[in-house]
Amino acid sequence: MRPYVLQGHTRPLNHVLFNAEGDLLVTAGKDSNINLWWTDNGVRAGSFDGHNGVVWTVDMTYDSKMLLSAAGDSSARLWSMETGAELFKFQFNEPARASKFSVGEKLAAVSTDPFMNSKSAIRFFRIAEDPREQSGEEILQLTGPVGRITRVHWVDGNRTLLSSSEDGIVRRWDVETGKCVAQETLHKKQISDMQMSADGTHFITASIDSTAKLVDTQTFEVLKEYKSAAPINSAALSPIFDHVLIGGGQDAAAVTMTAAKAGYFEARFFHKVFCEEFANARGHFSPINSVAFSPDGTSFVTGAEEGNVRLHHFDADYFTTNWDRV
Amino acid sequence: MAPAQGGIVLTPAEEKMFEGQPRGFPFGDFDLADVMLPEEDDMGIPSGSDDEQEEDLQTDSGFGNVLVVDNLPSVGPEKFDKLTAILTKIFSGSGRIREGGLFHPMDEEKKMSKGYAFVEYENAEQARAAQSALNGYQLDKVHKFAATLFDEADRLAKVSEDYVEPEERVYTPSENLMDWLSDKRGRDQFVLRYGDETEVCWNDAPRQTAESVYKRSFWTDTFVEWSPRGSALATVHRQGVALWGGKSYGRLMRISHQGVQRLLFSPCERYMLTFSEGPDNRGRPHFVAHIWEIRTGKRLRTFDGPHEEYAVGAVARPDGGMRWPAFRWGGGGVGGDKPVYLAHMKRNAISVYEAPEMAMLDKRSLKMEGVEDWDWAPGGDAVLCAYQTEQGNLPARVVLTRLPDREELRQKNLFSVAGIKMTWHPQGDYLAVQVDKWTKTKKSTHTNFELFSMREKDIPIDMLELPNKGEKIHQLAWEPRGHRFAILHGEGNRPAVSIYNMKDTKSSTPSHGVTLVHSMTGKACTSMHWSPAGRFLLLAGLEGGHNGTFEFWDVEEMTLLNAGEHFMAQEVAWDPTGRCVATILNAAAAMENGFQIWSFSGQPMYKTPHDRFFQLNWRPRPPSLLPEEKQREIVKNLRKYSKRYEEEDDALLAQADTEFLAEREKQLNEWRAWVESRKAYSEEREAFAREQLGERAAAHDRFQLQEVEVSVVVEVKEEPAKL
């Protein structure tokens, strides 16, 4: 079906994310805006105003009441999703990038970029049940990796945190001791995105080295590899089918030198097991920066450098096709 | 010379050396280390330090033009000057002696001349001529000159005094060079060059892949080329050319030519010309062309010297060098059993040499006043077509001459000619001469075509004018194995394509003469490519903003079979049978290097990307050995034959399908097994999440999907019923 084109950003998109129920969509961009949309009709439900810089990532609580955002204005903020009001502001001296609530949302992890004299870090905060009691006190800080930490995920019953970074390495941190317990160089270049599977047993990394890799959560063993002809900025796993969605394209700086067709700006579907591309969705005219499947797998969203968000709902035949036999 | 970003910087002269090569050649985007031969594998190419090279090295450094003359009279000082003067005169008779080039030594003790002299001529050719003239020259009753080339003398001095019987060589049968033709499925081969690799592949169109046959790194220094009948592949190295072939791609022959830049096979594959040019040791432009017999590796003749004599008319480059190819092979007959000729143009004449002796035919050149351009007829006939410009009162003319009897088969006088262009039919059945004529005001030109029907009695000439005589003509292309030709004409970047026929073979009374078949305007086309089997014409829009768009036409029915695009493609290459065509994007483009194979009807078959892709060459096939009638019979009963091959193809595809599906099934099963193995972890995680989320997770589960029907009354209106 024809996608909804959501035009709520004036600058490139950084992150698009569905809530747990799949009725809401949050988009964050370089124009320092965060927008909230209804997924069934593409109408904007509201926005979260307050950041003064690039918003890199967002995360939502399971009940869709609270939003966490990390931004280049050296802050991470908590927002009320019901009112759009800012609830709390974590102020840093460095730009904030990745943000993630723990399972159960009693904790949150925010990564900050290397800046001036400080190294990159992952900072942990307690999330109060009543936002009025929220404090900015850091309960733990992990440092070590060179370069920015682009994504973090809580796994193993909140005992472990996975991080992906610009050096192409995925790391496993013990949250209790603050030690890095395992690391694996998965990519030659920066890992731009890392998304977990629905069952948490594996995850996918997207790298500008033009590959995306499916990785075992426990062993970091690479299970599958998906190749593109252009940098990959984001990759998502379908919660219902063995499908992988990949978004990327020629680097924005090189775009003017190629035609739109040669830029690989399509959202591309790969079979998770066969690693073959079987479909793509055109529409963006610049690199796709972020992709996501809705939690029920019936729709997907892409956000691109040109500032447009395209929200697709799958046609009926998507659900009736035997994708393993195509 | 500092390598600049993206390529080697070439001087204008060097740029011309690579004329006709792919754009950006020589590709500068490499590290020296990449193109060096790997250690301990010299590919069988002798290096510069090998003994065998020494002779050539000296030639290059200038001893080749020195002659040693022995058996001179030995005279005292009083007669010395007189003798020297006489010798100078004799020696100058067969070439120009370089200034101070005569060294006639005097024995200071005995006060007598030593009885020999060194003579340095202007070039090696003159020295060789002088050698044959002066050797055995009878000065008087007692003195008979013995003239030896200096290089030769050096070699002769090394000859051992004892006779050594040459070892009898054991005959080893060579591999079957036609092996690739016996492929059960009749596939074609092509050679690819990308990165450091050179690879020969089968074009397996039914299975939509290229199947590798032989692959080797650093196989060639510059490019590779198939011999015209496909039996050998030539690789080009700094030290010379190597030929490879047979099933194992073993080396068949190597030919030593330092700094060879180009090569030209005779169409029958028996002979080869290797060519190099560059400044000589005094910095003046100089070329060397060696003629070889391929089977024996024997050098038959060498042409060398400055370009002036050869760079004449259309063959001259603006810088005074000669355009490639200035030497051209002709004759040989269809089966390669007739005499083979090599010819080149010079001022007011064309010189023809007959292989393998390589002596000038009848010891005299073919006189042609004001000859400007020429070419051999393809297809094995020893006929050459030459164009002579206007000479005083004589009009310009195009003349067809048969060799060796030098009979003028046909000629055509032309007036107020601005320029002409000859296009031969690939089998030599027709010749099209595009004539640009000055209009009366001499400010613009009009174009017409003189069409020679070579196979008709007396070679009739048809004249063709396009409706708009002033239009620009981009290309004329003859249909191989057919009677049609296509002209690409018109201004702007959307020219017109017109198809003409020379012979109506369909009607019951075959009529000759040129007729227009079809004309199409506004084509996004920059070049036209006929299938080698005829009938199908590919219109390609390659540059000028067309970005690689293709139209596949069936000219018989005049229908468009398909249109396609290979973004930014630069080259088109049909396979020798006309079943498939390749479109190529080589390393001159920054991105997406590789090639795409299409069927003759424009169905995309498969696409193979290769980084730093330089070259794709189809392996040519030799002419069919079946007599013409037999070939016609096969075409007639094509259905019967094709059925068998179609069945084979289907069986093959079915097998490929089964293999493919089995592989997928295996992958799926592996994946399912893996997911199963992680089940405990997944369940643990699920339980933990539920526990952590508590009430909220439960709330989420309480949602239920219900279908509700709602009926709303929008409006109630009463209307009187009209009955």
Side-chain angles (χ1 to χ4, degrees), chain B residues 106-316:
Chain B
M106 187 80 182
D107 195 323
E108 296 298 336
E109 281 175 24
K110 293 184 190 164
K111 299 285 176 204
M112 291 289 270
S113 69
K114 285 189 169 176
Y116 56 82
F118 294 88
V119 195
E120 189 182 0
Y121 287 96
E122 285 205 327
N123 58 41
E125 196 144 85
Q126 289 180 7
R128 273 194 298 275
Q131 194 263 338
S132 55
L134 294 175
N135 196 24
Y137 183 93
Q138 203 81 35
L139 182 71
D140 52 35
K141 272 185 186 158
V142 258
H143 296 105
K144 189 177 175 182
F145 290 175
T148 321
L149 286 169
F150 185 88
D151 289 346
E152 194 75 351
D154 201 36
R155 191 180 63 84
L156 289 173
K158 281 185 195 161
V159 171
S160 152
E161 291 298 321
D162 308 318
Y163 172 70
V164 184
E165 197 167 325
E167 227 176 278
E168 198 170 321
R169 273 198 257 176
V170 186
Y171 170 71
T172 44
S174 60
E175 278 185 66
N176 178 10
L177 299 185
M178 297 289 175
D179 184 71
W180 97 102
L181 291 171
S182 53
D183 179 44
K184 280 214 175 67
R185 295 169 52 216
R187 294 171 296 178
D188 276 303
Q189 284 191 348
F190 52 73
V191 62
L192 303 173
R193 219 157 49 73
Y194 54 89
D196 303 322
E197 308 295 330
T198 304
E199 187 176 11
V200 180
C201 299
W202 290 113
N203 169 36
D204 203 337
R207 284 199 290 183
Q208 311 214 331
T209 114
E211 189 188 320
S212 185
V213 178
Y214 185 83
K215 185 173 169 181
R216 191 158 169 179
S217 304
F218 308 101
W219 202 5
T220 179
D221 283 359
T222 45
F223 59 96
V224 292
E225 193 171 315
W226 292 106
S227 65
R229 293 179 175 210
S231 41
L233 181 72
T235 57
V236 183
H237 309 268
R238 203 160 42 81
Q239 301 92 338
V241 176
L243 295 172
W244 313 77
K247 203 177 175 116
S248 63
Y249 286 88
R251 197 181 62 226
L252 307 174
M253 185 51 65
R254 64 185 195 202
I255 277 162
S256 159
H257 181 161
Q258 278 292 327
V260 59
Q261 287 156 347
R262 294 170 187 273
L263 45 112
L264 189 68
F265 286 94
S266 72
C268 59
E269 275 189 7
R270 287 215 297 272
Y271 309 105
M272 179 165 78
L273 179 146
T274 56
F275 182 87
S276 63
E277 64 176 323
D280 65 3
N281 49 353
R282 294 180 190 200
R284 295 168 312 186
H286 184 88
F287 81 94
V288 180
H290 294 302
I291 318 296
W292 310 85
E293 187 174 54
I294 291 176
R295 253 178 282 179
T296 58
K298 197 174 129 197
R299 186 158 71 194
L300 301 177
R301 187 174 175 140
T302 297
F303 297 90
D304 63 354
H307 295 251
E308 284 92 4
E309 195 188 331
Y310 303 89
V312 178
V315 177

Side-chain angles (χ1 to χ4, degrees), chain A residues 21 62-63 103-106 155-158 198-202 214 216-219 223 242 258-259 261-262 264 272-274 276 324-326, chain B residues 547 565 567 591-592 660-661 663-665 667-668 670-672 674-675 678-679 681-682 684-686 688-693 696-697 700-701 703:
Chain A
E21 280 168 306
Y62 191 77
D63 57 9
V103 179
E105 292 124 17
K106 293 193 177 68
V155 294
D156 300 347
N158 287 348
D199 65 0
T201 59
H202 55 286
L214 198 70
D216 186 331
T217 308
Q218 287 163 285
T219 62
L223 305 168
D242 284 332
T258 61
K261 222 173 196 173
Y264 298 98
K272 186 149 109 185
V273 182
F274 310 142
E276 276 173 20
D324 298 341
R325 288 271 173 256
V326 177
Chain B
N547 292 342
E565 186 188 44
F567 188 68
M591 285 177 52
E592 293 183 75
F660 180 76
L661 286 176
E663 174 61 27
R664 286 201 149 185
E665 196 60 43
Q667 287 186 3
L668 266 185
E670 277 171 11
W671 173 252
R672 285 183 194 130
W674 184 87
V675 171
R678 292 294 185 271
K679 201 162 183 177
Y681 180 84
S682 160
E684 199 180 305
R685 183 190 156 277
E686 182 73 23
F688 176 75
R690 282 188 177 278
E691 180 205 317
Q692 287 292 310
L693 292 166
R696 282 174 287 178
H700 202 249
D701 288 347
F703 283 114

Side-chain angles (χ1 to χ4, degrees), chain A residues 44-71:
Chain A
R44 185 156 77 163
S47 64
F48 303 92
D49 306 328
H51 275 300
N52 309 319
V54 193
V55 184
W56 289 113
T57 60
V58 289
D59 194 21
M60 279 174 270
T61 55
Y62 191 77
D63 57 9
S64 304
K65 285 193 172 145
M66 206 149 60
L67 182 84
L68 172 64
S69 62

